[in-house]
Amino acid sequence: MKARATLDRVLSKAGIASRTTTREWIENGRVKVNGKVVRDPDHWVEQGKDVVHLDGRRIKAEKKIYVALNKPTGVITSHGDNQNRPTVYDYVKQLDRWLIPVGRLDMDTSGLIVLTNDTDFGEALLNPTTGIPKTYYVKAAGVVSDSQYFDLAYGLDIGRGERSGPSVVREVRASPKYTWMELTITEGKNRQVRRMCEAIGHVVLKLVRIRIGGFSLGDIPVGTFKILDAKDLKKLLSR
Ligand code: URA
């Protein structure tokens, strides 16, 4: 991180909460810089020189952590909801670290999701301009024709005024009733894969994210995670 940063950023980068939450803490007078309460989240802090306390506790930069979770179906990618459904946080609880999921998977989608306290890394992975590919294994109802494969690959109207961009699609297997394929997209529109398949008239019966960049889910068992090393991160960011 840069030597000079705003107070809200210093706190969020310490890996204890999101920027929105840390701004609230600061405005509520819970944060001191060099012994004095500062209520301005945009106050500049010289790192390595200024001393920051939250509720009397010294704040220092936390070590970055990156986790690849194999999310089961039936699990939501956000903090708890009013239906008390299980969340991705339940699966990384034992790490006892502040983590945020990078992007989201639908409740009915399983597979690879990255969680980290490094918000810059998360943004790089998600930003459509970096074009990191995400690959899904799809089981769809019915037989997908050549012209429908073409539409998926070329890009098509997926409703609500949105179009999918070009994708790479490969048939893995087909039976008279079902089609299994691998679909790679570089965008992250809401429910994009399901909407692409619906747009060609096929309902998705099973959806698993199997790869992000050059990093594959591999043999991480469902419901468990792997702590990622520098090599893994390089793979995640590779196109
Ligand atoms: N596309 C979808 O439709 N759902 C997901 O969870 C991810 C991509």
Side-chain angles (χ1 to χ4, degrees), residues 15-213:
I16 45 177
S18 70
R19 217 158 160 186
T20 315
T21 306
T22 60
R23 287 183 82 85
E24 277 173 24
W25 291 347
I26 297 162
E27 283 161 0
N28 291 339
R30 293 173 59 185
V31 178
K32 283 184 179 170
V33 179
N34 302 326
K36 279 198 192 125
V37 172
V38 173
R39 289 177 189 268
D40 175 11
D42 298 319
H43 177 88
W44 286 103
V45 172
E46 299 285 338
Q47 292 177 91
K49 185 169 153 239
D50 291 330
V51 177
V52 178
H53 282 90
L54 166 71
D55 297 335
R57 225 182 72 219
R58 175 91 186 259
I59 299 301
K60 288 189 184 159
E62 184 165 315
K63 239 183 129 208
K64 304 256 193 310
I65 179 169
Y66 309 85
V67 172
L69 170 71
N70 186 350
K71 184 186 99 60
T73 54
V75 171
I76 58 170
T77 313
S78 65
H79 274 294
D81 62 352
N82 50 15
Q83 291 173 53
N84 248 338
R85 291 174 295 192
T87 77
V88 289
Y89 296 100
D90 295 330
Y91 290 85
V92 291
K93 239 194 239 157
Q94 68 259 53
L95 291 171
D96 197 23
R97 300 287 294 270
W98 179 80
L99 292 169
I100 45 164
V102 179
R104 57 183 296 282
L105 289 177
D106 302 334
M107 190 171 90
D108 298 334
T109 304
S110 60
L112 178 59
I113 183 152
V114 174
L115 295 104
T116 180
N117 58 1
D118 182 349
T119 48
D120 289 339
F121 182 84
E123 276 160 29
L125 208 55
L126 282 185
N127 195 327
T129 58
T130 51
I132 304 294
K134 283 110 192 159
T135 302
Y136 295 84
Y137 180 73
V138 187
K139 179 185 178 186
V143 175
V144 176
S145 69
D146 286 349
S147 74
Q148 289 171 332
Y149 275 122
F150 177 83
D151 289 343
L152 286 176
Y154 185 76
L156 76 169
D157 182 347
I158 55 171
R160 294 185 229 142
E162 289 189 306
R163 269 191 84 76
S164 64
S167 71
V168 176
V169 60
R170 178 176 79 83
E171 184 176 280
V172 176
R173 189 152 70 94
S175 77
K177 276 186 161 174
Y178 307 112
T179 301
W180 290 261
M181 57 184 145
E182 264 187 34
L183 182 61
T184 301
I185 56 175
T186 52
E187 308 152 291
K189 296 189 167 74
N190 188 31
R191 296 177 69 83
Q192 183 166 339
V193 173
R194 292 177 201 275
R195 287 163 66 200
M196 287 169 73
C197 292
E198 275 156 25
I200 55 159
H202 294 272
V203 173
V204 168
L205 302 174
K206 185 175 173 175
L207 186 57
V208 186
R209 183 152 67 193
I210 55 171
R211 194 158 50 250
I212 298 178

Side-chain angles (χ1 to χ4, degrees), residues 220-237:
I220 302 172
V222 178
T224 68
F225 61 82
K226 174 183 189 236
I227 307 238
L228 303 177
D229 60 22
K231 248 181 169 173
D232 296 324
L233 301 187
K234 212 166 155 195
K235 283 187 191 164
L236 277 171
L237 290 174

